[in-house]
Amino acid sequence: SIAGRGTIYYPAGKESNYNNTWKSGLDSPVSGNGWTLVPGYRLTVAGGTDTTKGGLYQENDSVSLTAAPSAGRQFDRWTSSGGGAFANAEEPSTTFTMPAAHVMVTAHFTPSYSERTLRDPSTGVTVRGSFTEDAVLNVKPGTLHTGDDDPACDAIRAYGKDNGGPLLLYDISLSAGEVQGEVDVTIPAGAGYNGRTATVMHCHRRE
Protein backbone atom coordinates (compact mmCIF):
# COMPACT_ATOMS: atom_id res chain seq x y z
CA SER A 1 0.00 0.00 0.00
CA ILE A 2 0.99 3.65 -0.41
CA ALA A 3 2.04 5.58 2.66
CA GLY A 4 -0.29 8.24 3.94
CA ARG A 5 2.13 11.11 3.49
CA GLY A 6 5.43 12.01 1.84
CA THR A 7 6.86 13.77 -1.19
CA ILE A 8 6.15 13.02 -4.83
CA TYR A 9 8.71 14.29 -7.34
CA TYR A 10 7.43 14.91 -10.83
CA PRO A 11 8.98 16.35 -14.04
CA ALA A 12 8.76 20.13 -13.97
CA GLY A 13 6.27 21.38 -16.55
CA LYS A 14 3.96 18.40 -16.05
CA GLU A 15 2.03 19.80 -13.08
CA SER A 16 -1.35 19.17 -14.72
CA ASN A 17 -0.67 15.43 -14.80
CA TYR A 18 -0.43 15.23 -11.01
CA ASN A 19 -3.80 16.55 -9.85
CA ASN A 20 -6.52 15.17 -7.60
CA THR A 21 -7.86 12.98 -10.41
CA TRP A 22 -4.46 11.31 -10.70
CA LYS A 23 -4.28 10.77 -6.94
CA SER A 24 -7.72 9.20 -6.76
CA GLY A 25 -6.97 6.90 -9.71
CA LEU A 26 -4.13 5.03 -8.00
CA ASP A 27 -4.62 1.44 -6.84
CA SER A 28 -4.35 2.81 -3.30
CA PRO A 29 -5.57 6.42 -3.46
CA VAL A 30 -3.45 8.93 -1.56
CA SER A 31 -4.74 11.75 0.57
CA GLY A 32 -4.30 15.20 -0.90
CA ASN A 33 -3.49 16.60 2.53
CA GLY A 34 -0.62 14.25 3.36
CA TRP A 35 1.44 14.56 0.21
CA THR A 36 3.66 17.30 -1.19
CA LEU A 37 4.22 17.53 -4.94
CA VAL A 38 7.69 18.83 -5.80
CA PRO A 39 8.89 19.58 -9.37
CA GLY A 40 12.09 17.82 -10.40
CA TYR A 41 14.50 18.56 -13.22
CA ARG A 42 15.77 16.04 -15.72
CA LEU A 43 19.46 15.86 -16.63
CA THR A 44 20.43 14.50 -20.06
CA VAL A 45 24.09 13.62 -20.64
CA ALA A 46 25.63 13.42 -24.13
CA GLY A 47 29.09 11.89 -24.58
CA GLY A 48 29.27 10.56 -21.04
CA THR A 49 27.31 9.17 -18.10
CA ASP A 50 25.53 10.46 -15.01
CA THR A 51 27.11 8.24 -12.37
CA THR A 52 24.77 9.56 -9.65
CA LYS A 53 21.74 8.26 -11.61
CA GLY A 54 19.22 10.16 -9.56
CA GLY A 55 16.48 10.42 -12.19
CA LEU A 56 14.88 13.75 -11.35
CA TYR A 57 16.99 16.29 -9.49
CA GLN A 58 16.31 19.39 -7.45
CA GLU A 59 17.88 22.79 -7.94
CA ASN A 60 21.42 22.84 -6.49
CA ASP A 61 21.70 19.04 -6.39
CA SER A 62 25.23 17.84 -7.17
CA VAL A 63 25.54 15.25 -9.96
CA SER A 64 28.66 13.20 -10.75
CA LEU A 65 29.60 13.04 -14.46
CA THR A 66 32.13 10.93 -16.36
CA ALA A 67 33.06 11.51 -20.01
CA ALA A 68 33.21 8.49 -22.36
CA PRO A 69 35.51 9.17 -25.35
CA SER A 70 35.38 6.84 -28.34
CA ALA A 71 38.47 5.37 -30.04
CA GLY A 72 40.79 8.03 -31.40
CA ARG A 73 39.26 10.85 -29.33
CA GLN A 74 40.33 12.61 -26.16
CA PHE A 75 38.26 14.67 -23.75
CA ASP A 76 38.19 18.44 -24.30
CA ARG A 77 35.50 20.06 -22.11
CA TRP A 78 31.93 19.97 -20.76
CA THR A 79 29.20 22.41 -21.75
CA SER A 80 25.63 22.95 -20.55
CA SER A 81 22.62 23.89 -22.66
CA GLY A 82 20.63 25.48 -19.85
CA GLY A 83 22.56 26.80 -16.90
CA GLY A 84 23.96 25.02 -13.90
CA ALA A 85 27.64 24.92 -13.00
CA PHE A 86 30.52 22.44 -13.35
CA ALA A 87 33.06 22.01 -10.58
CA ASN A 88 35.66 21.85 -13.38
CA ALA A 89 34.43 21.79 -16.98
CA GLU A 90 37.91 20.78 -18.20
CA GLU A 91 38.06 17.52 -16.24
CA PRO A 92 36.54 14.32 -17.73
CA SER A 93 35.17 13.30 -14.30
CA THR A 94 33.54 16.19 -12.47
CA THR A 95 30.38 17.26 -10.67
CA PHE A 96 27.56 19.43 -11.97
CA THR A 97 25.23 21.59 -9.90
CA MET A 98 21.68 21.44 -11.21
CA PRO A 99 19.77 24.58 -12.24
CA ALA A 100 16.03 25.02 -11.75
CA ALA A 101 15.35 23.63 -15.23
CA HIS A 102 15.66 20.53 -17.39
CA VAL A 103 19.17 20.62 -18.85
CA MET A 104 21.52 18.79 -21.20
CA VAL A 105 25.26 18.60 -20.57
CA THR A 106 27.63 17.55 -23.34
CA ALA A 107 31.16 16.15 -23.24
CA HIS A 108 33.20 17.43 -26.19
CA PHE A 109 36.17 15.57 -27.64
CA THR A 110 39.08 16.26 -29.98
CA PRO A 111 41.19 13.82 -32.02
CA SER A 112 43.97 12.06 -30.11
CA TYR A 113 47.09 11.60 -32.26
CA SER A 114 50.16 9.38 -31.87
CA GLU A 115 53.10 8.53 -34.12
CA ARG A 116 52.27 5.34 -35.99
CA THR A 117 53.13 3.39 -39.15
CA LEU A 118 50.20 2.06 -41.17
CA ARG A 119 50.73 -0.69 -43.74
CA ASP A 120 48.56 -1.98 -46.56
CA PRO A 121 49.15 -5.78 -46.76
CA SER A 122 48.12 -6.17 -50.40
CA THR A 123 50.55 -3.60 -51.83
CA GLY A 124 53.15 -3.25 -49.07
CA VAL A 125 52.63 0.52 -49.03
CA THR A 126 53.40 2.04 -45.62
CA VAL A 127 52.58 5.50 -44.31
CA ARG A 128 54.21 6.89 -41.17
CA GLY A 129 52.82 9.94 -39.42
CA SER A 130 50.66 11.24 -36.59
CA PHE A 131 47.36 9.33 -36.69
CA THR A 132 44.36 8.80 -34.46
CA GLU A 133 43.98 5.38 -32.86
CA ASP A 134 41.19 4.37 -35.27
CA ALA A 135 43.09 5.29 -38.45
CA VAL A 136 42.88 2.67 -41.23
CA LEU A 137 45.03 2.89 -44.37
CA ASN A 138 43.25 2.40 -47.68
CA VAL A 139 45.33 1.77 -50.83
CA LYS A 140 43.77 0.99 -54.20
CA PRO A 141 44.74 1.33 -57.86
CA GLY A 142 44.60 5.00 -58.75
CA THR A 143 43.16 6.88 -61.69
CA LEU A 144 44.05 10.37 -62.79
CA HIS A 145 41.45 13.09 -62.46
CA THR A 146 40.27 14.93 -65.54
CA GLY A 147 39.20 18.52 -65.97
CA ASP A 148 40.71 21.96 -66.03
CA ASP A 149 40.98 22.15 -62.23
CA ASP A 150 43.44 19.24 -61.90
CA PRO A 151 46.86 20.67 -62.77
CA ALA A 152 48.66 18.05 -60.63
CA CYS A 153 47.04 15.16 -62.49
CA ASP A 154 47.66 16.91 -65.80
CA ALA A 155 51.36 17.10 -64.88
CA ILE A 156 51.43 13.39 -63.98
CA ARG A 157 49.68 12.55 -67.24
CA ALA A 158 52.18 14.60 -69.25
CA TYR A 159 55.13 13.04 -67.46
CA GLY A 160 53.81 9.56 -68.12
CA LYS A 161 53.35 10.35 -71.81
CA ASP A 162 56.98 11.48 -72.11
CA ASN A 163 58.41 8.63 -70.03
CA GLY A 164 56.42 5.57 -70.97
CA GLY A 165 53.70 5.87 -68.34
CA PRO A 166 53.86 5.78 -64.55
CA LEU A 167 55.46 2.73 -62.92
CA LEU A 168 52.86 2.68 -60.18
CA LEU A 169 49.67 4.64 -59.63
CA TYR A 170 47.96 4.37 -56.24
CA ASP A 171 45.13 6.13 -54.51
CA ILE A 172 46.32 6.34 -50.86
CA SER A 173 43.86 7.54 -48.24
CA LEU A 174 42.32 6.77 -44.85
CA SER A 175 39.06 4.83 -44.72
CA ALA A 176 38.74 5.74 -41.04
CA GLY A 177 40.42 8.02 -38.53
CA GLU A 178 42.40 11.22 -39.02
CA VAL A 179 45.96 12.39 -39.64
CA GLN A 180 47.75 15.64 -38.84
CA GLY A 181 50.95 17.12 -40.25
CA GLU A 182 53.29 15.58 -42.79
CA VAL A 183 53.60 11.86 -43.52
CA ASP A 184 56.32 9.60 -44.94
CA VAL A 185 55.08 7.23 -47.66
CA THR A 186 57.00 4.11 -48.73
CA ILE A 187 55.94 2.38 -51.95
CA PRO A 188 57.63 -0.95 -52.87
CA ALA A 189 58.58 -0.97 -56.56
CA GLY A 190 60.01 -4.51 -56.88
CA ALA A 191 63.41 -5.80 -57.96
CA GLY A 192 62.50 -5.37 -61.62
CA TYR A 193 62.94 -1.63 -61.25
CA ASN A 194 66.45 -1.74 -59.76
CA GLY A 195 68.69 0.91 -61.25
CA ARG A 196 65.82 2.99 -62.58
CA THR A 197 65.10 6.54 -61.47
CA ALA A 198 61.72 7.11 -59.87
CA THR A 199 59.92 10.45 -59.86
CA VAL A 200 57.23 10.70 -57.19
CA MET A 201 54.27 12.91 -58.07
CA HIS A 202 51.01 13.31 -56.21
CA CYS A 203 47.58 14.88 -56.38
CA HIS A 204 45.82 16.07 -53.21
CA ARG A 205 42.33 16.19 -54.64
CA ARG A 206 39.65 14.39 -52.61
CA GLU A 207 36.45 12.98 -54.06
Side-chain angles (χ1 to χ4, degrees):
S1 63
I2 296 178
R5 63 182 61 251
T7 302
I8 297 174
Y9 296 95
Y10 66 90
K14 301 294 184 180
E15 289 83 353
S16 61
N17 293 343
Y18 298 86
N19 51 27
N20 289 331
T21 302
W22 168 78
K23 294 178 185 177
S24 63
L26 296 174
D27 290 338
S28 298
V30 300
S31 168
N33 297 327
W35 285 83
T36 301
L37 293 177
V38 177
Y41 306 104
R42 185 174 292 108
L43 174 67
T44 302
V45 182
T49 56
D50 165 6
T51 55
T52 303
K53 299 179 180 178
L56 294 176
Y57 293 103
Q58 299 297 294
E59 182 181 10
N60 295 322
D61 278 355
S62 181
V63 185
S64 296
L65 302 173
T66 300
S70 58
R73 314 294 287 181
Q74 62 184 359
F75 175 78
D76 181 38
R77 70 192 189 283
W78 289 98
T79 60
S80 167
S81 66
F86 297 97
N88 188 339
E90 297 182 355
E91 288 291 335
S93 294
T94 189
T95 58
F96 177 73
T97 302
M98 285 292 295
H102 301 306
V103 63
M104 172 182 282
V105 295
T106 302
H108 299 271
F109 305 94
T110 57
S112 176
Y113 297 96
S114 61
E115 194 72 13
R116 301 174 58 200
T117 297
L118 306 180
R119 182 179 184 276
D120 177 65
S122 62
T123 62
V125 172
T126 62
V127 182
R128 181 166 182 79
S130 185
F131 297 97
T132 55
E133 180 184 346
D134 57 340
V136 177
L137 184 64
N138 181 41
V139 180
K140 60 184 181 180
T143 57
L144 296 174
H145 299 111
T146 60
D148 296 335
D149 59 343
D150 296 298
C153 283
D154 288 343
I156 296 172
R157 191 177 292 105
Y159 182 88
K161 182 178 180 181
D162 295 338
N163 295 274
L167 300 181
L168 297 167
L169 187 61
Y170 289 131
D171 181 355
I172 303 174
S173 62
L174 293 179
S175 59
E178 299 180 44
V179 61
Q180 69 174 359
E182 297 181 349
V183 297
D184 293 325
V185 180
T186 301
I187 303 175
Y193 298 105
N194 286 349
R196 300 184 63 178
T197 299
T199 299
V200 178
M201 308 176 75
H202 63 91
C203 169
H204 279 165
R205 175 175 169 179
R206 296 181 178 180
E207 297 301 342

